[in-house]
Amino acid sequence: MNYLSDIKEILYSPRDIDERIQGLAKQIQTDYNGEDVVIISILKGSFIFTSDLIRYINLRLAIDFIHVSSYREGMTSKELIINKGLSSNINNKHVLLIDDIIDTGNTLKQVKEILTKENPLSIKTCVLYNKPSGRKVEMVADYVAYDVGNYFIVGYGLDYNEKYRNLPFVGILREEAITKI
Ligand code: 5GP
Ligand code: MG
C-alpha cells in the first residue's frame, strides 16, 4: 500500500516545518540564555520533532524520554498510564517538556504535574502543534510551532493507528484511509 495515496492534503511541507523549527529553536536558545536544560520528549509522537529541534539549539542539553498512554474513563476524565518513566534525575534542573500536539490538554497537563513533583528548577512546555478548539482543561504551552484547526493530522511523528509517523510532511488523511478500529 502506498502511503502517499492515503493523503488528502499536505498542510506543512518538510521545508515549512524545518524553517519554523529553526525559528523556535532560536527563541528557546535565547530564552535559556546559556543555562543547561533537560529536554523531555513525550513518546512516541514527538520523537521526530524533538530530534530535529534539538539540533538547532546551541545549549548543553540532556535528553530523556517518557512514554504515556491515556485511557478514556467514561465520557470526560482521562487516566494517564506511564509506560516508560524517566531514566534521569530532574531535581534542580531546567526542564523543557516536548510533545507533538496539544489537543484536550490532558496529556501535557498531567505529564507536567507528574514531573513537577520531582522538583525541577523550572519546567516549560513545547509543542509542534496547538489545537485550541480541542481544549478541555486549562493548559497553555510555552512554545508552539503552529496553531492548527479542528482536523486530524498525520505525519512527521504523528500517527493514525500507529501508522504514517514516517511521512516527511504533515497532512490530512483521505476518508477512505480512515478505518474503524
Ligand atoms: P491531548 O491529551 O492534548 O488531548 O492529546 C494529545 C495527544 O493526542 C497527542 O500527543 C496525540 O497523540 C493525540 N492527538 C491529538 N490530536 C491529534 C491529531 O490531530 N493527530 C494525531 N495524529 N494525534 C493527535
Ligand atoms: Mg498519538
Side-chain angles (χ1 to χ4, degrees), residues 6-170:
D6 291 348
I7 301 301
K8 180 159 70 182
E9 191 185 342
I10 295 176
L11 297 178
Y12 306 89
S13 70
R15 198 180 158 164
D16 284 344
I17 296 169
D18 184 59
E19 279 180 10
R20 183 65 192 104
I21 285 179
Q22 285 191 49
L24 200 63
K26 203 172 274 178
Q27 195 189 337
I28 290 168
Q29 191 177 306
T30 305
D31 290 353
Y32 282 97
N33 195 24
E35 298 278 356
D36 290 359
V37 180
V38 181
I39 299 280
I40 298 179
S41 174
I42 303 179
L43 296 172
K44 302 173 195 170
S46 72
F47 82 110
I48 294 178
F49 172 44
T50 302
S51 61
D52 282 348
L53 180 75
I54 60 175
R55 281 178 285 177
Y56 289 122
I57 302 176
N58 184 10
L59 290 169
R60 272 198 201 84
L61 299 180
I63 316 290
D64 206 342
F65 297 93
I66 186 167
H67 185 203
V68 298
S69 317
S70 52
Y71 291 96
R72 212 172 272 278
E73 302 250 319
M75 291 303 285
T76 49
S77 67
K78 260 184 166 185
E79 192 193 344
L80 202 77
I81 310 288
I82 301 176
N83 302 316
K84 181 218 164 291
L86 298 183
S87 53
S88 53
N89 188 347
I90 57 166
N91 181 277
N92 225 20
K93 307 266 177 69
H94 291 293
V95 167
L96 181 60
L97 180 61
I98 300 185
D99 206 357
D100 53 355
I101 182 166
I102 175 170
D103 181 15
T104 64
N106 275 307
T107 308
L108 205 56
K109 188 174 183 170
Q110 289 185 66
V111 174
K112 189 180 175 184
E113 280 168 6
I114 290 164
L115 299 183
T116 300
K117 289 187 186 134
E118 304 203 16
N119 298 313
L121 198 54
S122 71
I123 181 160
K124 289 211 252 182
T125 53
C126 173
V127 293
L128 181 61
Y129 291 103
N130 173 37
K131 212 189 262 185
S133 58
R135 207 69 93 253
K136 295 223 168 74
V137 295
E138 212 171 293
M139 181 67 203
V140 179
D142 297 292
Y143 298 98
V144 173
Y146 300 101
D147 283 332
V148 70
N150 189 22
Y151 27 74
F152 192 82
I153 53 178
V154 295
Y156 196 74
L158 290 100
D159 73 309
Y160 171 64
N161 282 348
E162 292 300 328
K163 284 179 261 166
Y164 305 103
R165 293 193 198 276
N166 58 319
L167 292 173
F169 53 80
V170 170

